[in-house]
């Protein structure tokens, strides 16, 4: 009887996984003696996503894939027709409308210098608003949107465009998010230093 109990305990111990957080921006691995499962959300080394399953150290299933939308910039976006900028402070919900030509020119110049990398879809991510700081929309004189970005404070990222299914693409910023937020705060009428 003791032998059966020991065998059952050993079998159970070989099946219980241990969680290992991989330092690549978000991947996680669950490792047991007999199997392993890795869920990729790699951001630092490249845009790798998907799942890999190993049984006895051999790959049983590899559903991992690279997202080939590595970078975006706004140098070629024609912002000459921008006549209004909507700056929404997501934290307090207040919207500042900017119509001053000098302010618009400064903001457009700043935005055209931003770049993003490792674009990935936000499909499947729920409630991103707690991470958002500012939404900015550049509109032409007819009210048409020229460009729209949402800056993500916690991740030092921004959302731009969509993946074809209506979900925005998340890009890592080429600069520190604090610099962007400090710049935008200057134009936010609802912002007050505490």
């Amino acid at each position: 009887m003791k032998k059966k109990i020991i065998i059952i305990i050993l079998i159970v111990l070989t099946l219980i996984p241990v969680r290992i957080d991989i330092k690549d921006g978000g991947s996680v691995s669950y490792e047991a003696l007999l199997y392993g499962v890795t869920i990729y959300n790699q951001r630092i080394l490249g845009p790798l996503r998907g799942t890999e399953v190993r049984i006895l150290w051999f790959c049983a299933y590899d559903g991992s894939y690279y997202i080939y939308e590595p970078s975006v910039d706004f140098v070629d976006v024609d912002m000459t027709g921008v006549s209004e900028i909507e700056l929404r402070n997501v934290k307090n919900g207040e919207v500042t409308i900017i119509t001053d030509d000098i302010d618009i020119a400064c903001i457009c110049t700043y935005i055209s210098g931003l770049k993003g990398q490792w674009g990935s879809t936000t499909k499947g991510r729920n409630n991103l608003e707690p991470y958002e700081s500012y939404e900015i929309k550049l509109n032409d004189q007819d009210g048409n949107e020229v460009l729209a970005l949402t800056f993500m404070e916690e991740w030092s990222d921004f959302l731009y465009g969509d993946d074809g299914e209506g979900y925005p693409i998340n890009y890592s910023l080429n600069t520190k998010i604090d610099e962007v937020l400090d710049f935008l705060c200057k134009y936010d009428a609802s912002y007050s230093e505490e």
Side-chain angles (χ1 to χ4, degrees), residues 79-94:
M79 298 185 205
T80 56
V82 173
S83 63
E84 177 187 89
I85 296 177
E86 293 178 41
L87 182 63
R88 179 175 172 253
N89 182 326
V90 179
K91 301 293 183 196
N92 64 23
E94 298 293 323

Side-chain angles (χ1 to χ4, degrees), residues 67-132:
I67 299 169
Y68 292 104
E69 191 157 358
S71 64
V72 66
D73 64 50
F74 306 106
V75 172
D76 296 329
V77 175
D78 182 12
M79 298 185 205
T80 56
V82 173
S83 63
E84 177 187 89
I85 296 177
E86 293 178 41
L87 182 63
R88 179 175 172 253
N89 182 326
V90 179
K91 301 293 183 196
N92 64 23
E94 298 293 323
V95 176
T96 302
I97 304 295
I98 302 162
T99 56
D100 181 77
D101 291 338
I102 295 172
D103 290 345
I104 289 173
C106 288
I107 294 170
C108 288
T109 300
Y110 187 81
I111 296 290
S112 68
L114 294 179
K115 295 180 182 175
Q117 61 183 2
W118 309 126
S120 62
T121 182
T122 56
K123 183 177 183 178
R125 296 188 211 171
N126 296 325
N127 195 17
L128 294 172
E129 195 163 289
Y131 306 105
E132 297 174 6

Side-chain angles (χ1 to χ4, degrees), residues 88-178:
R88 179 175 172 253
N89 182 326
V90 179
K91 301 293 183 196
N92 64 23
E94 298 293 323
V95 176
T96 302
I97 304 295
I98 302 162
T99 56
D100 181 77
D101 291 338
I102 295 172
D103 290 345
I104 289 173
C106 288
I107 294 170
C108 288
T109 300
Y110 187 81
I111 296 290
S112 68
L114 294 179
K115 295 180 182 175
Q117 61 183 2
W118 309 126
S120 62
T121 182
T122 56
K123 183 177 183 178
R125 296 188 211 171
N126 296 325
N127 195 17
L128 294 172
E129 195 163 289
Y131 306 105
E132 297 174 6
S133 293
Y134 280 107
E135 289 177 351
I136 186 166
K137 293 181 184 178
L138 286 63
N139 301 322
D140 65 15
Q141 64 186 8
D142 297 325
N144 299 316
E145 189 177 284
V146 174
L147 182 66
L149 303 171
T150 302
F151 294 97
M152 310 293 285
E153 184 174 14
E154 296 286 320
W155 299 333
S156 194
D157 291 358
F158 66 90
L159 304 178
Y160 167 70
D162 70 62
D163 68 350
E165 295 181 22
Y167 297 94
I169 298 183
N170 188 85
Y171 291 94
S172 295
L173 272 167
N174 66 322
T175 187
K176 293 179 181 176
I177 189 69
D178 293 339

Side-chain angles (χ1 to χ4, degrees), residues 4 6 18 24-25 32 37 43 93 99 102 116 118 136 173 177 193:
K4 285 184 179 180
I6 291 173
V18 174
D24 65 356
V37 177
R43 297 168 56 99
T99 56
I102 295 172
W118 309 126
I136 186 166
L173 272 167
I177 189 69
E193 300 228 13

